[in-house]
Amino acid sequence: MKSAILQTATRYLLPILLLFSFFLLLRGHYYPGGGFVGGLVASIAFVLHSFANGTAATMKILRYKPLSLIPIGLAISTLSVVIPVLFNLPPMTGLWFEEPIPVIGMIGSALFFDLGVYLVVIGVVLTILFTISLDE
């Protein structure tokens, strides 16, 4: 049984929660937050949509299986760890662009590491939850 109130609320909450998760991702390398927390909030947004509209409808929004996000996120995180080695620096050394980007601020390797973690968390959480979902 689907709730019209939950479906209506989810229509507005999904973009707000995704925007908030992106905010947490960008804020993370300066303050608390980052890829893990942002990924959890994004996952919760999709789980809420799944509760309201069914797993099949949520999979249509995602377009790709969540499992495919895991290797992409791992590759991005690994690159952010290995790239400093190419400059004769220790792994995981923070590299930063010289000019800040409006609204986002300074971009560095920490942000790319967080982006990889963000994608891995979304992929793992949604893969687990959609796999055990009873919705056909």
Side-chain angles (χ1 to χ4, degrees), residues 3-5 7 9-10 12 21 24 35 43 46 54 61 73 80 89 92 101 105 109 134:
S3 167
I5 295 172
Q7 287 177 334
T10 301
Y12 296 104
S21 79
L24 288 172
S43 299
F46 289 117
I61 289 175
S80 72
L89 296 168
M92 295 188 76
I101 294 180
S109 57
L134 298 176

Side-chain angles (χ1 to χ4, degrees), residues 2-19 44-54 57-58 61:
K2 295 185 180 181
S3 167
I5 295 172
L6 184 59
Q7 287 177 334
T8 304
T10 301
R11 191 174 309 131
Y12 296 104
L13 285 174
L14 180 67
I16 291 170
L17 285 170
L18 289 177
L19 187 63
I44 289 169
F46 289 117
V47 169
L48 179 64
H49 186 274
S50 177
F51 285 165
N53 301 302
T58 305
I61 289 175

Side-chain angles (χ1 to χ4, degrees), residues 12-90:
Y12 296 104
L13 285 174
L14 180 67
I16 291 170
L17 285 170
L18 289 177
L19 187 63
F20 182 61
S21 79
F22 192 68
F23 166 76
L24 288 172
L25 170 68
L26 293 178
R27 182 178 181 264
H29 59 281
Y30 293 118
Y31 299 105
F36 187 78
V37 175
L40 287 177
V41 171
S43 299
I44 289 169
F46 289 117
V47 169
L48 179 64
H49 186 274
S50 177
F51 285 165
N53 301 302
T55 304
T58 305
M59 291 299 285
K60 285 181 186 175
I61 289 175
L62 291 172
R63 293 188 186 139
Y64 301 103
K65 292 190 177 219
L67 187 63
S68 66
L69 294 175
I70 298 170
I72 294 169
L74 286 173
I76 292 171
S77 292
T78 303
L79 278 174
S80 72
V81 168
V82 172
I83 285 180
V85 174
L86 300 175
F87 296 102
N88 293 326
L89 296 168

